Amino acid sequence: MSDLAHLERSLTAEQPVLLAYSGGLDSTVLLHQLVQLRQQWPTLRLRALHVHHGLSPLADGWVAHCRRQCAEWQVPLEVVKVTVDARQGGIESAARTARYQALAQHIDPKETLLTAQHRDDQSETLLLALKRGSGPTGLAAMSPVQMRGDNLHLRPLLDFSRQQLEAWAARYRLSWIEDESNQDTRYDRNFLRLEILPLLNERWPHFSAAAARSAALCGEQEQLLDELLAESLDALIAEDGSLGFTPLLSMSPVRRAALLRRWIARQNGAMPSREGLERLWQEVVLSREDATPCLRLGTAEVRRFRDRLWWLRPSEPLADRQIDWAAPWLPLTLPAELGQLAVDDAGISLRQPRSSETVSVRFQARGSFHIVGRAGSRPLKKLWQEAGIPPWRRERIPLLFYGEQLIAALGVFVTHEGMPSSAETAWRIRWQQ
């Protein structure tokens, strides 16, 4: 490890970079290399983000160290404090989740994320995947290049051992922090690093390199499967992300499971175990037709409506919400990231509210309603069913009221009370999602 070729292959001078900077050896070496690269590429925009987990009494000192180092190297640093909930899969997993959530929330749209995992980390990840009984996806361990949301995520040090990083740090007399928890073998990754990998590398000096090759081969196999199954998966997934499962009924269990896993991956969901995937099939897909099955997988739910599967994230309950909307009818921001209502010529046509009528938006209504285009009144539940609206989406559709009269379910129907007469100038409302 004597030059910056690994960075020059991965980056361009015009590519803004955000480094996840813990202050430890790995990220310190990578930050130093990026600073050196910036000397060659003066247009390189580089900044660092330090996640303050608050798990160690020394954490504030680590922040101070990172600030000093970034100030010396003239790298903008952002410090983000997070709360780690150890009930979410243990302290190691919860800290990692909190760290990546912080990075996702603070990265700029065009930035490339860099993290400093190295070859020995790859061996640990592979062994942990073996312990969990993972398939090829898990055994592929960490990819050197992947997308994280809309941002490119690079791990440029995966081909280098910790020993090589230590040599770089010694050569340039770098200083870094040592997390005392890294010596605690109660944590699985530390146990592997301190107790198991030294024995393996003593017996087989090239074990870490061989493990990295195995992970890369598993990754290649998964990439090949992704490519082979992409067309089939695209045919099953609708624009709203739901999956049509009818074609899966005639497929082999192996192909079916591979498609379901890739559907979940497209939803950015936590990958279920083989048992979890089988429960999804048996309890959700194959439940009786009149059932409304629901299976929780991690923080999400899988539900079925008619012949489709839906991946649902936790959402804010809205049944009791009422939002008043008054003249001059400025754009109205809806809760729970549902978008805006605006007076717009491209919107649906309604009668204008009378001066005596207050206008409000609600998310629940009771009773029967006579809608435009239908004869007679129907219960609201029946109207939702006829429109093909799944039960969990019904509370996410804004209902426009004049006084206590339902005028429209935006994007679904208009009631007779909301229809403009031929003598009236129509009022057009658009739901911008």
Side-chain angles (χ1 to χ4, degrees), residues 1 24-27 29 117-121 124 157-169 176-178 182-183 193-194 208:
M1 192 179 195
L25 169 68
D26 315 338
S27 61
V29 168
Q117 294 94 345
H118 52 75
R119 192 167 64 198
D120 296 345
D121 294 326
E124 296 162 13
L157 300 182
L158 278 184
D159 288 336
F160 303 100
S161 67
R162 180 178 174 86
Q163 187 177 16
Q164 289 174 294
L165 301 189
E166 289 172 342
W168 182 285
W176 63 89
I177 61 177
E178 292 285 359
N182 287 339
Q183 303 303 312
R193 181 184 304 127
L194 299 173
S208 291

Side-chain angles (χ1 to χ4, degrees), residues 115 117 122 140-147 153-156 158 219:
T115 55
Q117 294 94 345
Q122 187 77 308
M142 295 178 288
S143 172
V145 181
Q146 69 180 99
M147 295 302 298
H153 178 193
L154 304 179
R155 297 183 174 97
L158 278 184

Side-chain angles (χ1 to χ4, degrees), residues 253-270:
V254 172
R255 184 180 180 87
R256 180 180 72 215
L259 287 166
L260 285 172
R261 287 193 184 96
R262 281 158 180 78
W263 172 63
I264 293 170
R266 287 200 188 181
Q267 311 307 311
N268 295 316

Side-chain angles (χ1 to χ4, degrees), residues 327-378:
W329 321 114
L330 298 175
L332 180 69
T333 299
L334 300 172
E337 300 181 351
L338 289 177
Q340 284 187 332
L341 297 188
V343 178
D344 190 314
D345 288 342
I348 62 170
S349 178
L350 304 172
R351 72 169 176 84
Q352 293 198 27
R354 303 182 181 96
S355 59
S356 60
E357 293 176 321
T358 58
V359 179
S360 64
V361 176
R362 308 177 194 181
F363 297 90
Q364 188 178 60
R366 294 182 175 85
S368 295
F369 303 94
H370 188 184
I371 68 173
V372 174
R374 295 289 179 88
S377 298
R378 285 175 171 80

